[in-house]
């Protein structure tokens, strides 16, 4: 019974996801869905992208949060078009929310849309937003066991960002186990970017990866 | 329509929560529901409690995870009765799952039951497990903005553990803002325990807080 209800919700979501995909396709916009735990550094990665790409690409941002507009305010400081979706306690974005948010963005004059999902490694994974690809964000202090414990996200991501690598010396993080769980078991061949938004390490690779995705087009992300 | 469905699910949950509460009451067991983001250190706090209390209290553990039995294996090493609930991708524990898990625990010979919820700051908050109280776990690298962004958990917790305080010098964590959001706006008077399971700092206070809750009984936690 519960399963049937979930399927219905997901079916409605899929219709809106298709509509989002069509609008993005018409406008020629690549959209990435950033999924990660609370505090993994999703907003900081978006800020780094805006700084690194502002001379080369036109970026827009959708910020999803259960409460507050703090992240959207951080982004607005960087002069990018940003829409805040406040889910009023909801645990994930869905395609209907994103479809409505698109109406408030100047799609025709964008190249890349970064969508920050609600901080959560489980629920957002079930909801296709009509995005071109998924960015799994995980940070070093969360521990090396996250891919094994939350496999669906890591299986369906087109890139994995391991953030806060500057904290590696101060925590017990088994990078061999992390890489083995991720690249051998869950998602062979997925690009892994090691980044510290705090020190700037690896930010260049993140920015370059984004630029290449836009240059090659969304079809380069299909698996 | 969606709202009605959620209410139905929550109503069924409330019936099982009541049954859990009755079984715990009959057995004289205090049960705490640990809610926090993935990698915030919930399992480490449970390990620390088992080590610190093994001479004084009889502890049992329920481990909730979307996949793997890694946490239950960590606990089993410490010789405590532990039941793993594998939610098969589900984003929270519910009272029915906990009720079933109680059947596999030697309730009559326990004083304290620690329930580790799925790593998630949003969904577990909606589901009463029949617990005596809630422990909100948040770690320093997640950032000081977590209470403001995920207020429901912090509003309903009987204690807040700020974990990984050993990382404070290496991240930008505004403790004044954190305390002000938490204690002034969300949950005035809630105890805040600063802990590092890695260095042992504050672990004594955590263990003492647990022992006092058991000594005073679950009614001491009601608000």
């Amino acid at each position: 019974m519960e399963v049937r209800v979930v399927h219905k919700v997901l079916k409605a979501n899929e219709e809106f996801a298709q509509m989002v995909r069509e609008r993005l396709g018409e406008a020629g916009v690549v959209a990435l869905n950033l999924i990660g735990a609370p505090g993994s550094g999703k907003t900081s990665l978006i800020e780094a992208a805006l700084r690194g790409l502002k001379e080369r690409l036109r970026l827009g941002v959708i910020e999803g949060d259960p409460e507050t507009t703090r992240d959207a305010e951080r982004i607005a400081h960087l002069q990018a078009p940003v829409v805040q979706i406040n889910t009023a306690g909801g645990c994930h974005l869905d395609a209907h929310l994103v479809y409505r948010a698109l109406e408030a963005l100047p799609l025709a004059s964008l190249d890349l849309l970064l969508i920050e999902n609600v901080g959560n490694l489980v629920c957002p994974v079930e909801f296709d937003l009509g995005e071109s690809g998924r960015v799994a964000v995980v940070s070093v202090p969360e521990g090396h066991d996250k891919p094994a414990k939350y496999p669906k996200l890591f299986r369906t991501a087109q890139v994995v960002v391991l953030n806060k690598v500057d904290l590696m010396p101060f925590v017990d993080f088994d990078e061999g186990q992390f890489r083995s769980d991720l690249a051998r078991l869950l998602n062979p061949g997925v690009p892994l970017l090691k980044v510290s938004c705090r020190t700037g390490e690896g930010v260049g690779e993140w920015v370059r990866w984004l630029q290449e995705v836009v240059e090659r087009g969304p079809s380069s992300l299909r698996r």
Side-chain angles (χ1 to χ4, degrees), chain A residues 7-180:
Chain A
H7 278 180
K8 255 194 202 160
V9 171
L10 287 178
K11 196 165 176 316
N13 187 73
E14 197 41 61
E15 283 173 28
F16 276 106
Q18 192 51 37
M19 288 158 70
V20 169
R21 226 182 309 274
E22 280 163 18
R23 291 203 63 184
L24 293 171
E26 286 159 17
V29 176
V30 172
L32 296 172
N33 180 4
L34 279 75
I35 304 180
S40 56
K42 299 179 291 303
T43 314
S44 296
L45 285 165
I46 291 174
E47 289 174 316
L50 288 168
R51 286 199 196 92
L53 290 166
K54 67 179 171 205
E55 314 282 319
R56 285 171 279 179
L57 294 177
R58 299 163 301 171
L59 270 72
V61 177
I62 294 176
E63 281 293 333
D65 263 312
E67 305 279 343
T68 85
T69 55
R70 289 189 194 195
D71 289 349
E73 287 158 23
R74 281 170 64 182
I75 299 301
H77 285 152
L78 295 169
Q79 318 290 332
V82 55
V83 176
Q84 174 83 46
I85 299 177
N86 192 311
T87 63
C91 55
H92 61 270
L93 293 183
D94 64 35
H96 178 251
L97 292 168
V98 171
Y99 187 74
R100 291 287 163 235
L102 289 187
E103 290 168 3
L105 282 168
L107 269 199
S109 56
L110 294 183
D111 303 304
L112 176 62
L113 175 64
L114 297 176
I115 305 170
E116 179 175 341
N117 220 310
V118 176
N120 185 330
L121 287 182
V122 186
C123 317
V125 180
E126 304 295 334
F127 288 81
D128 180 5
L129 304 183
E131 72 264 22
S132 318
R134 278 182 181 183
V135 181
V137 181
V138 58
S139 65
V140 164
E142 292 167 50
H144 56 261
D145 57 356
K146 290 304 153 298
K149 290 169 85 172
Y150 300 87
K152 269 195 192 171
L153 169 60
F154 294 92
R155 270 196 201 111
T156 59
Q158 274 73 44
V159 66
V160 175
V161 178
L162 178 60
N163 196 12
K164 308 194 189 183
V165 290
D166 57 301
L167 295 177
M168 200 73 91
F170 312 114
V171 299
D172 306 309
F173 187 93
D174 184 339
E175 192 176 335
Q177 180 79 55
F178 177 83
R179 283 182 180 273
S180 153

